[in-house]
């Protein structure tokens, strides 16, 4: 049997098995719809909660998104500048931070910073949104740091050389010449990060 024919047979078997699974699930749901509706779909409860979902949940979601994105942008910019530093310890510190905060899920950081630190160290956070906004900003900053660093490195090297030849310091050249061009490049990936924070 040829490889193409074998692939077609495997594909047909997968479709048939998937169809049987879907048909079985539909049969179970159809036969026990009253139990499924009672467990998963309660129209009266949805109707009662609908105004609160709009006024409270949507407002909180937008506030957490804005705070997380703003804090992440600040943290990410600092980390990106540390990552391109000529001094090795500063680069290593930035790399460790980025890898740790990207490697551990956001929910774990929310629990650590929002619940574990106050219990273990007696730290008290003031403000209604602080416990959620801090971990969101720290984790978002780790992701944005790589995006901002890539945007800075995407600006042609001649831009920095031209700015320095005009007598600008490194900081002036970075803030006036390099970063504006870098942020124009990284707007699409930063928009992706904003959407992820919203989710």
């Amino acid at each position: 049997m040829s490889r193409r024919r074998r692939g077609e047979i495997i594909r047909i078997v997968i479709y048939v098995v998937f169809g049987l699974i879907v048909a079985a699930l539909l049969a179970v749901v159809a036969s026990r719809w009253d139990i499924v509706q009672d467990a998963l779909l309660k129209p009266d409860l949805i109707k009662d909660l609908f105004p609160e979902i709009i006024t409270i949940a949507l407002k909180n979601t937008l506030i957490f998104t804005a705070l997380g994105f703003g804090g992440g942008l600040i943290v990410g910019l600092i980390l990106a500048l540390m990552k391109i530093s000529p001094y090795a310890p500063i680069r290593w510190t930035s790399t460790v931070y980025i890898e740790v905060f990207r490697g551990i899920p956001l929910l774990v950081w929310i629990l650590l910073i929002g619940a574990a630190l106050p219990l273990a160290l007696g730290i008290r956070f003031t403000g209604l949104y602080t416990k959620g906004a801090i971990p969101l900003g720290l984790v978002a900053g780790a992701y944005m740091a790589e995006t901002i660093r890539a945007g800075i490195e995407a600006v042609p090297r001649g831009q920095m050389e031209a700015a320095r030849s005009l007598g600008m310091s490194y900081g002036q050249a970075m803030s006036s010449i390099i970063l504006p061009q870098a942020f124009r490049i990284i707007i699409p990936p930063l928009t992706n990060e904003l959407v992820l924070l919203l989710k």
Side-chain angles (χ1 to χ4, degrees):
M1 184 181 299
S2 69
R3 179 183 297 177
R4 181 176 179 180
R5 180 66 180 156
R6 192 167 48 241
E8 289 175 357
I9 291 172
I10 291 172
R11 199 164 33 251
I12 290 170
V13 169
I14 291 172
Y15 290 153
V16 169
V17 170
F18 180 73
L20 291 174
I21 291 171
V22 170
L25 287 174
L26 290 175
V28 169
V29 169
S31 64
R32 307 296 293 178
W33 177 246
D34 54 338
I35 297 173
V36 171
Q37 185 177 14
D38 186 52
L40 300 176
L41 185 64
K42 297 182 180 178
D44 296 334
L45 185 60
I46 294 172
K47 193 186 302 180
D48 292 340
L49 290 176
F50 189 73
E52 294 180 11
I53 289 174
I54 296 298
T55 56
I56 297 172
L58 180 61
K59 181 187 81 168
N60 287 344
T61 300
L62 294 176
I63 289 172
F64 277 122
T65 302
L67 291 174
F69 188 78
L73 201 57
I74 294 168
V75 172
L77 181 59
I78 293 169
L79 289 172
L81 293 174
M82 289 172 66
K83 189 88 185 233
I84 60 173
S85 171
Y87 304 107
I90 295 176
R91 285 199 313 270
W92 297 338
T93 304
S94 175
T95 302
V96 168
Y97 178 96
I98 290 169
E99 295 303 322
V100 168
F101 274 83
R102 286 176 64 173
I104 298 175
L106 174 60
L107 183 59
V108 175
W109 285 114
I110 291 174
L111 292 174
L112 280 174
I113 295 171
L117 284 181
L119 288 174
L121 304 176
I123 298 172
R124 294 288 174 260
F125 294 107
T126 57
L128 183 62
Y129 301 101
T130 311
K131 287 184 180 180
I134 289 175
L136 282 172
L138 293 176
V139 173
Y143 282 95
M144 288 185 199
E146 288 297 317
T147 304
I148 295 170
R149 179 195 57 77
I152 291 171
E153 291 180 351
V155 176
R157 189 178 298 273
Q159 297 288 316
M160 176 61 81
E161 294 170 355
R164 295 304 297 271
S165 69
L166 290 173
M168 289 185 178
S169 67
Y170 180 83
Q172 289 174 331
M174 185 62 73
S175 60
S176 301
I177 306 297
I178 305 300
L179 286 179
Q181 295 182 67
F183 270 91
R184 187 184 64 189
I185 295 169
I186 61 174
I187 285 175
L190 286 184
T191 307
N192 291 343
E193 186 62 35
L194 180 64
V195 171
L196 288 173
L197 280 171
L198 184 66
K199 290 178 181 178

